[in-house]
Amino acid sequence: KNQVEQSPQSLIILEGKNCTLQCNYTVSPFSNLRWYKQDTGRGPVSLTIMTFSENTKSNGRYTATLDADTKQSSLHITASQLSDSASYICVVSSSYSSASKIIFGSGTRLSIRP
Amino acid sequence: DSGVTQTPKHLITATGQRVTLRCSPRSGDLSVYWYQQSLDQGLQFLIQYYNGEERAKGNILERFSAQQFPDLHSELNLSSLELGDSALYFCASSVAGPDTQYFGPGTRLTVL
């Protein structure tokens, strides 16, 4: 069964600290993995996208890693800021052409405390 | 601003009614996706259209339908509304496949 599981479900850290969010998937065949940031009540915004051959990608203070062998990804946030408070969603795609199988994780809700 | 627009922003209606949500994709994007997000729930993929044709179907109820018009805008029709249909409905667009989707601001539907 195609699944994307994220952990932890929620996380509270102090401003300035680092954190790492996890994503495990069983989607097959694998096309790409994306991390999105979703502020409350807003649409998700893409942070990173990685294909099978990529094992790390950075976007400012956000660094995503991908281990296609173990089917695991992580999102590392460095020097957290209050504006990082949001839900972070891992999305795995299995794509043949323009047809697509899109599996969303349930997200990790991150809260940054001053 | 993602370049994807959705109207209306908010919609309040009663059970049993029918509503239409509208989405305009980014310029040049041929694919449109619809998602439902209930309170404190993850995004649920409903349906994808590519250049006017249905391409993929997710957890879309039979009471819901969608279409993509020749100008590539899309509409999601929700009928016989129930209380449980209250949710945020997002539209996303991409050039073709799901490689990079750009999400609209969403329509918040409240069914009373």
Side-chain angles (χ1 to χ4, degrees), chain B residues 66-84:
Chain B
Q67 53 184 327
Q68 186 179 28
F69 295 86
D71 67 352
L72 300 177
H73 91 270
S74 178
E75 292 181 356
L76 178 67
N77 301 296
L78 315 176
S79 61
S80 303
L81 285 168
E82 302 175 359
L83 295 177

Side-chain angles (χ1 to χ4, degrees), chain A residues 32 34 38 49 98 100 104, chain B residues 35 37 40 48 90 98-99:
Chain A
N32 60 67
R34 289 163 284 154
Q38 184 179 22
I49 177 170
S98 295
S100 56
F104 281 74
Chain B
Y35 297 90
Q37 187 174 39
D40 291 334
Q48 176 202 0
F90 289 105
D99 289 353

